[in-house]
Every structure is written in structure tokens, then in C-alpha cells.
Amino acid sequence: MSDLGHDPTGNPDPMGNHEPTGHHEPTGDHGPKPTPPDNHDRGPNPAGVPASTPDHHHTSTLSRDRTRTLGRERLAGRISRFDRSHRVDRTLAHAITRVTGEALGPYQSAVIRIGFAATWLLFLLREFPHREELYGPDGPWSWDLAQQLIASNHAFTALMWADGQVWFGIVYAFAVLSSFLLMLGWRTRTMSVLFMVGVLSLQNRSIFMGDGGDNVIHLMAIYLVLTRCGQVWSLDERRERRARDARARGAWVGPDRAGPILWTVLGLVLAAATLAGKIDGGFFGGWRTIYWGLWAVQGLWWLAGRYGRSVQPRILLDVVANLVHNAALFVIMAEACLIYATAGWYKIQGTRWQDGTAVYYPLHLDYFSPWPALSDLLSASGTLMLLVTYGTVIVQVAFPFTLFNRRVKNVLLAAMITEHAVIAVVLGLPFFSLAMIAADAVFLPTSFLRRVGGWAARARGRLFSRLGRTLRSVPRPRKEPERTPETAETAEPPHVGFTT
């Protein structure tokens, strides 16, 4: 047993063979038994020594191939996991860059701005003869009732600052002007806040005035404050483009004066209203905090762009503004989906919607029949009423689930816009339909909106060119040359009567 771990001669075997060399077991040939060659030795076999079997060689080859294949698979798995994690990180980084690096949906937000501002403006202009009965001192919702309601729900309305027709006329004109300027896109950050003030002031004064579209305008007026809705199709965008082109040409561009003046005037008005106690809420909550916060952010934005020593503060403000804009745009989309989903599921529970006769009854109400002949024509077909009733429910319930399929979503979106257009004409609800169409515009494809913008730009160019040609073709009176003493002597005397 002592000979199993070492060589008796004192020289270790470098090949790892621990067989003793001092004595050998006898063999049949009275000589030492030769050691069989290793399987890795491919030299000639000595005579009388059997060669290694083919099965053993094949097994060792398969084991080596299997080991190499397993190593490659493990390496490929590690590389695949690295690629997947790298791909996920890259996708996440791209998403974060998009959300923080740009304000998404510039055309959609511009359409929402134009749509809701135009809807509210048209409503105020249509109701101008009846404005005092709707929201003013002569309305059924009296001053005392409005004060009690505002004291309980803490809603904001500037009409509660004074009780009189003069103040009401000022607030109404202010609402009309802010809607018009927001629609044009002039100082959109400021006009969006003033637009919200006008909407809240009138609607919170008389809460029972409206046809359903006022609720949508109420919500969207608050959301528009948080969006950067003047990136395209606005006077702000045109002013910035002209200033950028002028700098590219090397021309001098003067500082902005209208913005600071407007900011200062609004700050003085806000300070006067705060000192007078007209705005409800403390400095850490309520409308007072909201308005002062918006005013301070506007000033900080201007200071960062005007007096910033580096671009880092402005970049930070841009990132925050992009995040707020994208979040507000997402909320607008969720709000539109929620409106349709709740309306569709409530309709399913009604028996009239289940039997397909729900659309028939509003067509025969005097309040919803501005065109009685058209209503009678549509309601005369029972099949048409059934299809319209079921189609309305299907479209409203299915629309939120089709947002991930662009083609189906566009088809249902066209169907809903058509439905609202029909409601505006047949049921006499134009402003409700305009408000819903403006809310639906957030889902319109960007390519379609760009195409529509191109059509509008070409139509405007043709219109202005025709007006220019018309003005140039109008004959202008020829100016008589001034008479001087020199020209008076050479001029012919005036003729009296007929000349020969």
C-alpha cells in the first residue's frame, strides 16, 4: 500500500502514472507487459497489443463536442441576456428622452386650443343678447343663491366680486377677448390662464346653464393651462420663427416688451384682488396659491431666458414644462375615453337602448327638434333607428379598446365625429357637438392634421392674393401736379364753352 502514491526510485512520474518500476508481474511471454497506448496517441500499435476500440474513441469525441456545444450555449445565453437587458435599457432611455425632451402632440394640442376657444367664443357671441338672463344679475339663479353655493363648494368666480351690470359687462367682455386671443395663439401661456378665469367665472355663477358641453369646456379649460398648446398654428410660433430667421440673417432682434408689460399688469391686478380678499384660499392651498404660482412661473421663465448666464436653467424649465405638457395631454386623452366609456356602459343598462328605440324619442321632443321635418324623416324608418341606437352604444363602448390599433381607431373616430355633427344639426346641440369634436381631436393622426394645415395655408394664400389683386385693380384718383408760378405761365388758359 506504500507504493501507491510515489515512485520507489524517488523520481516522480511526470505523466501521473504511479506504477512501480522495480518489479513486474510475470506474463505469458516471461517479459514485462507493455502499457497500452493512450487513447490520444495515434501512433502505430506494437505487434501483439490490441488497439483501442472504436466505441471508446467515438464516445470521447461526442463528449468533447457536447462540452463545446454546452459552452457555446452558455455563452450565447449570456450574450442574449445582455442584449435583452441592453435593449430594454435603450428603449426605456428613448422613452424618457421623448417624454422630457419634447412636448408631444403639438398639432393635437393646437387643435384642442383652437377648438375649445372657438366653441366658447361662439357660445358667448350667440348668447350675447341674453347674457344677463343666463349669467348676470337678471338670471333665475340669484346673487344670494350664488353666494351660498360658492361659500359651500369654494369654487372660483370673478362675478362674485361685485353685484352690478357694469362689472358683469367687464367680465363678459374679458371672457370674449381671452377666447379670441387664445384661438389666435397670442401669448398662449397667459391667455390660457385668462381663458380659464373667464370660463370658471361664468359657469360657476350659474351652474344650471349648459347642455353637457359646458362640463367638457370646464375641464379642458383647466387642462389647457398645463399644455404647451402654442407650438404650431399660433401667432407665438410665427413671432418666434420670424425672430429666428432674423437672427440667422444677422439682423438685430429687439427684446420682448409686450410680455413683461402684460405680466406686470396682471400681477398688480392679482395683488389687488388678494389684498381685497376676493380670491378664496390661503397661501398654501386654494385658488390664490394656483394663480400666484402660475404668475411666478411665468416670471421665472422670462428671467431664465433673459438674464440666465448659462442655458442650464432654461433647459431645466423646458424639461419640466415638457413633462407637465405630456402628462396633461395624457389626462385629456383619458378624460375623453372616460366620457365615452361611461356613456356607453350607462346606455347598455337602459331598456330603451336595449330594444333599439332610444334615439326615436329625442327626435320628437320640441326642445331637441329645430327641424321637425328632418326629425320626422329620420324617425320614419325603424331599421335606421335600430342601427343608429346600437351603433352609438357599440362605438362608445369599443372606442377606448381600439386605441392600440390605429386603423380601427381612425374608423371609430370618424364615426364619432360624424355622429356629433349629426347631433348638432338634427337635435340642435351645436356647442355640445363642437366641444366633443374638439376633445376627439386629440386622437387625430399627425399626418392628417399636417395635411389639413397645408390645405388651410394654401387657401389663405389664394385668398390674400385675390384680395391683393382686387385692391390693385381698383382705379385710384390721379393726383394733379402742383401748380407753381413757372408752370402757371406756360399753361394754357382755361377754355369756356365748346372748342373748335
Side-chain angles (χ1 to χ4, degrees):
M1 298 294 295
S2 61
D3 297 335
L4 295 178
H6 62 279
D7 190 354
T9 60
N11 297 325
D13 188 1
M15 298 302 293
N17 298 323
H18 301 289
E19 294 184 1
T21 57
H23 63 278
H24 303 280
E25 294 183 0
T27 60
D29 296 333
H30 304 282
K33 183 178 180 181
T35 303
D38 188 25
N39 292 332
H40 301 285
D41 189 4
R42 290 293 173 258
N45 293 329
V49 180
S52 60
T53 60
D55 293 338
H56 182 71
H57 174 68
H58 182 66
T59 302
S60 61
T61 304
L62 289 179
S63 63
R64 288 197 305 270
D65 295 342
R66 191 176 297 112
T67 303
R68 294 171 182 171
T69 304
L70 183 60
R72 294 194 188 98
E73 291 178 354
R74 289 178 179 176
L75 181 60
R78 292 176 183 175
I79 295 176
S80 178
R81 286 194 298 270
F82 176 78
D83 289 342
R84 286 197 299 269
S85 62
H86 182 66
R87 189 161 50 248
V88 170
D89 295 341
R90 185 171 52 195
T91 304
L92 183 60
H94 177 70
I96 294 175
T97 303
R98 285 208 63 189
V99 172
T100 59
E102 60 179 335
L104 302 177
Y107 293 93
Q108 287 80 0
S109 58
V111 171
I112 293 174
R113 167 181 58 84
I114 296 172
F116 281 103
T119 301
W120 182 243
L121 176 63
L122 293 175
F123 175 78
L124 295 179
L125 293 179
R126 191 194 71 168
E127 301 298 340
F128 186 81
H130 312 285
R131 62 191 183 281
E132 295 185 357
E133 290 80 6
L134 290 176
Y135 303 108
D138 299 335
W141 193 253
S142 64
W143 172 267
D144 295 333
L145 291 176
Q147 277 188 329
Q148 295 176 13
L149 180 63
I150 295 301
S152 61
N153 61 9
H154 303 284
F156 172 81
T157 171
L159 291 177
M160 291 290 100
W161 295 359
D163 183 13
Q165 293 183 352
V166 176
W167 177 247
F168 171 76
I170 294 174
V171 174
Y172 201 91
F174 168 80
V176 172
L177 180 61
S178 62
S179 302
F180 178 71
L181 294 178
L182 180 63
M183 182 181 64
L184 295 181
W186 185 78
R187 309 290 172 177
T188 51
R189 293 192 185 96
T190 303
M191 287 303 124
S192 61
V193 178
L194 300 182
F195 175 75
M196 179 186 68
V197 171
V199 171
L200 297 181
S201 298
L202 294 176
Q203 291 189 355
N204 290 335
R205 171 62 176 84
S206 299
I207 60 174
F208 295 108
M209 299 300 169
D211 51 9
D214 57 323
N215 295 327
V216 182
I217 296 176
H218 193 107
L219 295 173
M220 297 302 173
I222 299 175
Y223 299 151
L224 277 176
V225 176
L226 305 176
T227 62
R228 307 183 73 173
C229 53
Q231 299 178 93
V232 295
W233 299 342
S234 65
L235 296 179
D236 291 344
E237 187 267 337
R238 188 183 68 171
R239 183 178 65 253
E240 293 179 1
R241 185 178 66 251
R242 289 182 175 180
R244 188 168 54 252
D245 295 341
R247 294 190 191 96
R249 294 192 304 267
W252 180 78
V253 179
D256 182 21
R257 302 185 184 276
I261 293 175
L262 183 62
W263 180 79
T264 304
V265 172
L266 293 178
L268 295 176
V269 173
L270 185 58
T274 302
L275 294 176
K278 299 298 184 179
I279 304 178
D280 188 23
F283 285 100
F284 296 100
W287 289 104
R288 186 181 304 173
T289 303
I290 293 175
Y291 289 139
W292 277 112
L294 293 173
W295 183 82
V297 168
Q298 294 281 54
L300 181 62
W301 190 281
W302 182 81
L303 290 174
R306 176 78 178 186
Y307 298 105
R309 295 183 179 180
S310 64
V311 297
Q312 300 300 327
R314 187 58 182 268
I315 292 176
L316 177 61
L317 291 177
D318 278 334
V319 169
V320 174
N322 292 335
L323 284 173
V324 174
H325 166 87
N326 296 329
L329 199 64
F330 177 78
V331 171
I332 292 174
M333 298 172 65
E335 187 72 32
C337 292
L338 184 62
I339 291 173
Y340 285 116
T342 53
W345 287 108
Y346 272 112
K347 286 181 175 65
I348 290 177
Q349 302 175 21
T351 57
R352 294 292 180 265
W353 291 95
Q354 293 176 4
D355 58 25
T357 61
V359 180
Y360 175 85
Y361 298 100
L363 295 176
H364 291 81
L365 296 176
D366 295 336
Y367 186 77
F368 295 107
S369 299
W371 315 98
L374 181 59
S375 300
D376 294 338
L377 178 63
L378 294 176
S379 61
S381 174
T383 304
L384 181 61
M385 292 294 98
L386 180 66
L387 294 177
V388 172
T389 302
Y390 284 169
T392 301
V393 175
I394 292 173
V395 168
Q396 290 182 351
V397 172
F399 178 74
F401 301 99
T402 62
L403 296 181
F404 301 100
N405 191 315
R406 182 177 301 178
R407 295 181 178 179
V408 180
K409 182 261 297 181
N410 291 338
V411 172
L412 293 185
L413 188 61
M416 288 191 301
I417 293 176
T418 304
E419 178 186 3
H420 289 305
V422 173
I423 290 175
V425 176
V426 177
L427 298 182
L429 299 173
F431 300 107
F432 166 77
S433 299
L434 287 176
M436 293 306 302
I437 291 175
D440 295 339
V442 71
F443 301 105
L444 290 175
T446 302
S447 58
F448 173 76
L449 293 177
R450 287 179 176 176
R451 194 177 303 115
V452 172
W455 294 340
R458 287 191 293 270
R460 183 185 59 185
R462 287 195 295 267
L463 178 62
F464 287 166
S465 62
R466 290 179 181 177
L467 290 177
R469 288 196 300 268
T470 302
L471 293 177
R472 287 193 298 269
S473 62
V474 175
R476 298 180 181 180
R478 187 175 58 183
K479 297 179 63 176
E480 294 287 341
E482 297 182 359
R483 299 177 63 88
T484 60
E486 292 78 4
T487 59
E489 294 177 357
T490 58
E492 295 182 359
H495 297 281
V496 179
F498 296 98
T499 58
T500 57

